[in-house]
Amino acid sequence: MSAKGAFGFVAGGILGAAAGVVAGILLAPRSGAESRAMAADAMNDAWDTAVDSYERGSRVVSEKIGSRPGMDVTADELRAKVDLARERMEQLRDSLSDAVTTTSSQVQDVVNTAADKVVSATDAVAPASETQAEGVHVEVVDGNTEE
């Protein structure tokens, strides 16, 4: 495109825009102040509609989330059951601990009694068998040797 063609295009665009503005002013059904007031009213109405829609939607969501009585009752029941299970587990742990302590002391008593009997039995047999063993031969066999 040449400089003359570009200048003609720009000049035509400016002239067309000016003609459109003049035609709009002369043929407009209302004055500029009225047109601006109508545009502002249309924007305010659109804004109010958007705000109302937002509030209505947020209220519906809040009602759906907030008003779940069945869920609250179920959660309370579950909490009560968990608390009851915890109490029962503590009771079982305490009784098991008591049982382990009692059994441990009983086992210790039996072991001490058995140890006392073994000591007394070895004391009774020891004087008679204090002779040295003769002719005892101990042979160590290595399991890794090849035959």
Side-chain angles (χ1 to χ4, degrees):
M1 189 184 235
S2 68
K4 184 178 178 182
F7 177 74
F9 179 76
V10 172
I14 292 173
L15 185 62
V21 169
V22 169
I25 291 173
L26 293 177
L27 299 175
R30 291 172 195 79
S31 68
E34 282 183 73
S35 294
R36 286 190 298 277
M38 285 180 61
D41 287 341
M43 290 303 295
N44 287 335
D45 289 343
W47 179 259
D48 291 341
T49 302
V51 168
D52 289 343
S53 296
Y54 171 77
E55 288 174 353
R56 206 172 31 250
S58 64
R59 186 174 52 249
V60 167
V61 169
S62 295
E63 288 173 359
K64 293 291 182 183
I65 291 174
S67 65
R68 303 208 49 138
M71 193 166 153
D72 292 340
V73 170
T74 304
D76 290 341
E77 289 174 359
L78 286 174
R79 283 188 193 102
K81 287 180 180 180
V82 167
D83 290 341
L84 184 64
R86 283 185 182 148
E87 289 174 14
R88 182 69 180 136
M89 289 298 293
E90 285 185 35
Q91 290 172 353
L92 288 173
R93 184 178 54 218
D94 291 343
S95 66
L96 181 62
S97 177
D98 292 343
V100 167
T101 302
T102 303
T103 305
S104 175
S105 65
Q106 289 174 350
V107 168
Q108 188 65 36
D109 291 343
V110 168
V111 167
N112 289 338
T113 303
D116 291 342
K117 286 183 181 180
V118 168
V119 167
S120 65
T122 55
D123 287 344
V125 176
S129 65
E130 285 187 4
T131 59
Q132 291 187 351
E134 294 180 21
V136 175
H137 175 70
V138 177
E139 181 178 337
V140 178
V141 178
D142 188 13
N144 293 332
T145 59
E146 294 181 21
E147 293 182 19

